[in-house]
Amino acid sequence: MYVSHLECPKCNKEFNHKELNQLCTSCKSPLLVIYDLKAVKENFKKESLASRNFNLWRYKELLPIEDEKNIISLGEVITPLIKLEKLEKKLGLKNLYLKDEGFNPGGSFKSRGAAVGISKAKELNVKSFAMPTNGNAGAAWSIYAARADIKAYIVMPINAPTITRNECIVSGANLFLVDGLISDAGKIVAKSIDKYKFMDASTLKEPYRIEGKKTMAFEIAEQFDWELPDIILYPTGGGVGLIGIFKALKELQEIGFVKGKLPRLVAVQASNCAPIVKAYERKQQESIFWKNSNTVAFGINVPKAIGDFLVLEAIYKTGGCAIAIKDEDILKYQELIAKEEGLFICPEGASTLAAIEELYKKGWIKEDEKVVLLNTGSGLKYPNTIISNPTILNPNDEISIETFF
Ligand SMILES: *Cc1c(COP(=O)(O)O)cnc(C)c1O
Ligand SMILES: [Zn+2]
């Protein structure tokens, strides 16, 4: 393992990675995992990937697990990178790809964070954790925790997608619902952490979830044969994925796996919960709590992210941008990509497709630029976003195609 230490990105204070650490004890910032990249560069060669399994653990030199015995795996896969040829024609683009994270265990990319987060928790001898969640993270951490024999205490808003509740319950997690937002769930968790000495697995309050999520960028780079795309669009809630992608790209640069400019990173948010977009438009380094947030794209309903300054840094440093999409457009594009490409993606993922159309119209994207949309989860997790009105037949009826004209 090549981790050298944990570091606070605000005050640069260093922490020991052999111990359980949460936020920086001085300034309460999230901590980042720092690797000895010189040593990684000497010992990790692209060729060595050829013989490795097709899952995120193939990038083990840039992951924080010391003893492979501690790896908790549920059969992670390299998720497909699909060229959207019909939508390219419709939108006027030439190189439009979607990375489909719906293929992960539990149907969302949250399992990347959970796979690495839970494996590391096991390595650090953690017995129990608590976390607030909008659904998918709690579900992913619950299934991995079951396999690791770690106790999970999950608090989620009562309106979170029902299926994520069921995933927590079936895998033996202790689930609580709160009539409020993820920020309210966070307050409840914070109180119990002190009382019961749980590990706090809230977004970015432990350093290893980023390490899991960053593997999306390793895969994108490898899938493009180490030629980076020009733009990556990401549906941003807590922003861990975006922070992780930025971190991974810089690591790949430092070990010499990729060259040239980094992709412009785009944070896509919902119009009724767009704190990062507002901060970006005002050229600020931090966001302000978004009151009365509300969106069908539940995973990105985060009124104030603890790592907002890192998300904004990733946007500014790569020349990216932030853009907000209305719920009605999110749903329109969710339907469009299913009709055109056969991909049933989650509303969060659909927001990136709506964003690409807007950014292209504004001239922010050139037609031949290579663009990657991140679909963070399967549409199957949100069955109620689709309104269906099927024709009901009696057993003696026939199909009449006229009903469809
Ligand atoms: C959690 C979640 C997001 C947002 O992820 P962050 O990395 O915290 O910004 C996006 N889409 C889905 C489906 C999610 O579950
Ligand atoms: Zn600090």
Side-chain angles (χ1 to χ4, degrees), residues 92 95 111 121 164 178 190 256 267 280 327 333 377 393 403:
N95 290 294
S111 56
T164 61
V178 54
Y280 168 79
D327 271 15
Y333 283 85
L393 299 179
T403 39

Side-chain angles (χ1 to χ4, degrees), residues 8-232:
C8 171
K10 269 200 176 145
C11 71
N12 298 329
K13 189 167 174 171
E14 297 187 5
F15 294 84
N16 184 352
H17 62 282
K18 308 249 177 191
E19 294 159 6
L20 176 65
N21 277 289
Q22 306 243 232
L23 295 177
C24 171
T25 48
S26 301
C27 61
K28 305 290 172 225
S29 155
L31 300 177
L32 297 178
V33 180
I34 308 298
Y35 295 81
D36 178 353
L37 292 175
K38 260 206 196 111
V40 175
K41 187 172 184 172
E42 264 163 44
N43 296 300
F44 183 24
K45 304 288 169 207
K46 285 177 190 169
E47 300 75 65
S48 57
L49 287 168
S51 60
R52 294 190 187 171
N53 290 336
F54 286 100
N55 59 45
L56 63 89
W57 304 107
R58 67 199 265 103
Y59 310 108
K60 62 182 178 187
E61 284 84 351
L62 291 168
L63 288 173
I65 309 301
E66 186 138 32
D67 183 346
E68 288 185 25
K69 281 208 296 289
N70 291 321
I71 289 179
I72 304 294
S73 174
L74 287 172
E76 299 77 37
V77 294
I78 299 293
T79 59
L81 187 64
I82 301 164
K83 199 162 194 286
L84 305 178
E85 292 183 355
K86 284 173 73 185
L87 286 176
E88 281 173 352
K89 290 205 184 79
K90 258 202 150 69
L91 301 177
L93 292 161
K94 296 212 166 86
N95 290 294
L96 182 61
Y97 295 82
L98 178 120
K99 185 157 177 71
D100 196 354
E101 292 289 303
F103 283 80
N104 283 301
S108 89
F109 82 119
K110 288 293 196 303
S111 56
R112 293 181 187 270
V116 175
I118 287 285
S119 297
K120 192 63 195 179
K122 189 178 171 209
E123 190 154 271
L124 292 170
N125 213 15
V126 168
K127 302 289 181 216
S128 62
F129 69 86
M131 75 172 352
T133 173
N134 271 334
N136 285 329
W141 281 67
S142 293
I143 55 178
Y144 280 87
R147 202 166 166 92
D149 283 326
I150 294 178
K151 269 196 161 22
Y153 294 85
I154 310 287
V155 187
M156 73 169 73
I158 212 158
N159 296 328
T162 336
I163 185 71
T164 61
R165 273 187 212 177
N166 299 351
E167 291 176 272
C168 294
I169 290 166
V170 76
S171 53
N174 303 293
L175 176 70
F176 303 89
L177 300 179
V178 54
D179 192 1
L181 293 176
I182 189 170
S183 42
D184 301 304
K187 278 184 226 150
I188 294 170
V189 165
K191 283 183 207 155
S192 54
I193 294 295
D194 290 340
K195 189 161 175 197
Y196 298 108
K197 305 282 169 253
F198 294 139
M199 178 177 90
D200 189 346
S202 309
T203 304
L204 293 177
K205 289 193 183 169
E206 61 77 49
Y208 299 105
R209 189 197 291 210
I210 300 181
E211 296 304 297
K213 287 191 175 182
K214 79 178 182 185
T215 57
M216 287 187 289
F218 293 159
E219 291 180 20
I220 290 171
E222 191 180 4
Q223 284 171 313
F224 280 127
D225 205 13
W226 310 105
E227 295 281 334
L228 293 177
D230 298 296
I231 298 160
I232 299 177

Side-chain angles (χ1 to χ4, degrees), residues 107-110 134-137 203 209 213 216 234-242 298-300 302 346 348-349 375-378 382:
S108 89
F109 82 119
K110 288 293 196 303
N134 271 334
N136 285 329
T203 304
R209 189 197 291 210
K213 287 191 175 182
M216 287 187 289
Y234 182 78
T236 304
V240 188
L242 204 78
F298 221 82
I300 54 175
V302 180
C346 64
E348 293 85 347
N375 174 42
T376 39
S378 166
Y382 305 70

